[in-house]
């Protein structure tokens, strides 16, 4: 019984969940250098198709929201995924992360208004705004800082300007958004790049094919 299932599993395409946006733009050339031409995925994406079979490689590509990649992979709806360290750390799911792809580079930082620095030792009630509530919680815990976390879904840089928060925890790439809003970086929590993630069931079912994928990508990152 077990054997039959494994055979059937090996016959079906390996499913890869890729996040739309900048990571996808950087991932496609990387996969191509690794000998995996997924340009059909880019063309299909332009045509609004989100499930793309790449039969010649025995693959199927799913184009999903970046924050949804770990759920697809953890539940086995995709065997492999590409997700930023920010998303992976925030969700902290049960996944293998065999390879850092070195794309989608930015950093997770704490920032505050240039003209209103926070005194962490004062007894005032501090508020941190972020899309990354869990990363913020762990950061505050590690620092021994007591603060309220205000969960937002975007445009985080506005929060300190309008009195919603004292500080923010957010991604910084060029630094332009911080500059535009007169915010200064207080500290980097960790550098971010996109990683390959693999589900536990997929690692068992498709171990050889996933090892081959990782080896090909490792040669070009
Ligand atoms: C991200 C991030 C910052 C900005 C940083 O936002 O949250 O706001 O990019 O980039 P920069 O350092 O190059 O200016 P995104 O564009 O994803 O939009 P969001 O604010 O709605 O999350």
């Amino acid at each position: 019984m077990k054997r039959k299932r494994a055979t059937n599993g090996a016959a079906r395409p390996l499913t890869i969940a890729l996040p739309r946006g900048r990571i996808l733009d950087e991932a496609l050339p990387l996969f191509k250098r690794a000998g995996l031409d997924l340009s059909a995925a880019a063309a299909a994406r332009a045509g609004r198709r989100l499930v793309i079979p790449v039969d010649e490689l025995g693959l199927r590509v799913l184009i999903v929201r970046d924050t949804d990649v770990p759920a697809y992979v953890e539940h086995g709806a995709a065997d492999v995924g590409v997700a930023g360290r920010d998303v992976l750390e925030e969700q902290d799911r049960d996944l293998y992360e065999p390879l850092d792809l070195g794309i989608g580079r930015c950093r997770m930082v704490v920032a505050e208004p240039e003209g209103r620095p926070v005194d962490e030792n004062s007894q005032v009630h501090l508020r941190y705004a972020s899309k990354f509530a869990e990363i913020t919680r762990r950061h505050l815990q590690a620092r021994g800082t007591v603060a309220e976390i205000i969960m937002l879904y975007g445009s985080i840089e506005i929060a300190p300007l309008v009195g919603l928060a004292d500080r923010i925890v957010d991604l910084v790439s060029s630094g332009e958004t911080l500059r535009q809003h007169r915010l200064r970086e207080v500290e980097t929590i960790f550098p971010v790049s996109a990683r390959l993630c693999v589900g536990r069931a997929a690692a068992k079912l498709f171990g050889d094919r996933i090892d081959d994928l990782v080896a090909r990508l490792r040669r070009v990152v």
Side-chain angles (χ1 to χ4, degrees):
M1 188 64 184
K2 261 187 188 160
R3 199 159 164 197
K4 193 171 178 198
R5 225 182 270 154
T7 311
N8 287 344
R12 75 151 168 85
L14 197 70
T15 301
I16 304 184
L18 296 179
R20 63 192 181 207
R22 191 159 72 94
I23 291 181
L24 180 66
D25 295 340
E26 291 184 48
L28 294 178
L30 185 76
F31 275 74
K32 190 164 188 180
R33 288 209 305 278
L36 303 162
D37 185 352
L38 302 182
S39 48
R45 167 79 187 124
R48 302 266 179 212
R49 276 178 44 223
L50 303 175
V51 181
I52 303 123
V54 187
D55 295 337
E56 60 278 19
L57 296 175
L59 298 176
R60 183 172 62 146
V61 177
L62 309 181
I63 308 287
V64 303
R65 257 189 84 139
D66 62 343
T67 47
D68 291 340
V69 168
Y72 278 85
V73 177
E74 186 184 49
H75 296 291
D79 304 306
V80 176
V82 172
R85 181 177 173 190
D86 51 331
V87 169
L88 292 165
E89 296 234 355
E90 179 66 17
Q91 298 188 14
D92 197 21
R93 288 174 186 265
D94 189 20
L95 300 172
Y96 297 116
E97 292 174 20
L99 188 63
D100 190 325
L101 298 171
I103 57 174
R105 284 184 188 279
C106 52
R107 53 195 192 277
M108 185 70 69
V109 311
V110 181
E112 65 185 11
E114 282 169 9
R116 198 159 34 87
V118 163
D119 175 2
E120 284 182 51
N121 298 317
S122 76
Q123 297 300 308
V124 294
H125 178 83
L126 290 177
R127 289 180 299 178
Y128 282 62
S130 186
K131 279 190 290 200
F132 303 97
E134 197 45 38
I135 289 168
T136 304
R137 189 190 63 74
R138 289 200 294 263
H139 170 74
L140 291 171
Q141 191 177 37
R143 296 289 304 252
T145 304
V146 177
E148 180 185 354
I149 298 169
I150 297 179
M151 174 73 187
L152 299 175
Y153 292 90
S155 303
I156 313 299
E157 291 83 357
I158 297 173
L161 306 186
V162 295
L164 180 59
D166 301 287
R167 282 182 167 174
I168 62 170
V169 170
D170 200 12
L171 294 174
V172 170
S173 177
S174 65
E176 189 52 32
T177 314
L178 289 187
R179 272 193 294 281
Q180 288 285 343
H181 297 90
R182 295 183 187 283
L183 299 170
R184 74 170 190 98
E185 219 172 296
V186 177
E187 83 179 277
T188 296
I189 304 180
F190 52 77
V192 172
S193 51
R195 296 168 171 192
L196 202 68
C197 57
V198 178
R200 295 205 173 260
K204 285 203 189 97
L205 263 180
F206 299 122
D208 291 348
R209 291 170 74 190
I210 292 171
D211 286 350
D212 177 60
L213 178 71
V214 172
R216 280 167 179 251
L217 286 166
R218 183 168 281 133
R219 283 197 284 273
V220 297
V221 296

